Amino acid sequence: MSEVTLYLPDEKAMIKLGARIAQVTEGCGLIFLDGDLGAGKTTLSRGIIRGLGHVGAVKSPTFTLVEPYEIGEVRAFHFDLYRLVDPEELEYLGIRDYFEGDALCLIEWPKRGAGFLPKPDLTITISPHNSGRSLSLLPQGSRGESWCAALALEFK
């Protein structure tokens, strides 16, 4: 499957898509989130994390770089690499440990971690579109392809 483009009118739709992504991923995998400041990366992440069953606040990890979530048997990690000065800093963070096992990792600003991040299952690029957002979902392997197929059916 090739790239899928979705058009979402508002924040509510972004949260709904996030919840659906949580379902199709079953709480496992690696998703890169690209887009300019204010594009909706954290809003989509909030929808995903809440879709996994988290009921508390979902804050942006802009200053902490990573926010962990333990949701029953599911482990999710939300990264924001915007303030990363050098990708090598990820080694000091123990970045490789986060990708072991069955966790869901959401990474905002993945280009800032180039060379230290594994290949994602899915890259989502968010852009302004009319009064809403355009999301380009680019699968990077069979897992991402199956996710895109499921999401395309519901959101096209």
Side-chain angles (χ1 to χ4, degrees), residues 1-4 119-124 136-149:
M1 170 172 249
S2 59
E3 188 171 1
V4 172
K119 180 179 155 187
D121 296 301
L122 179 65
T123 297
I124 301 174
S136 296
L137 285 65
L138 181 62
Q140 305 283 322
S142 60
R143 186 188 291 194
E145 287 178 8
S146 67
W147 297 346
C148 282

Side-chain angles (χ1 to χ4, degrees), residues 96-136:
R96 296 177 204 279
D97 296 339
Y98 290 97
F99 306 120
E100 293 177 359
D102 291 331
L104 179 62
C105 294
L106 308 171
I107 302 183
E108 297 184 31
W109 301 97
K111 289 178 182 137
R112 296 186 185 234
F116 291 88
L117 298 174
K119 180 179 155 187
D121 296 301
L122 179 65
T123 297
I124 301 174
T125 303
I126 307 171
S127 308
H129 178 75
N130 296 333
S131 62
R133 298 286 187 263
S134 167
L135 286 80
S136 296

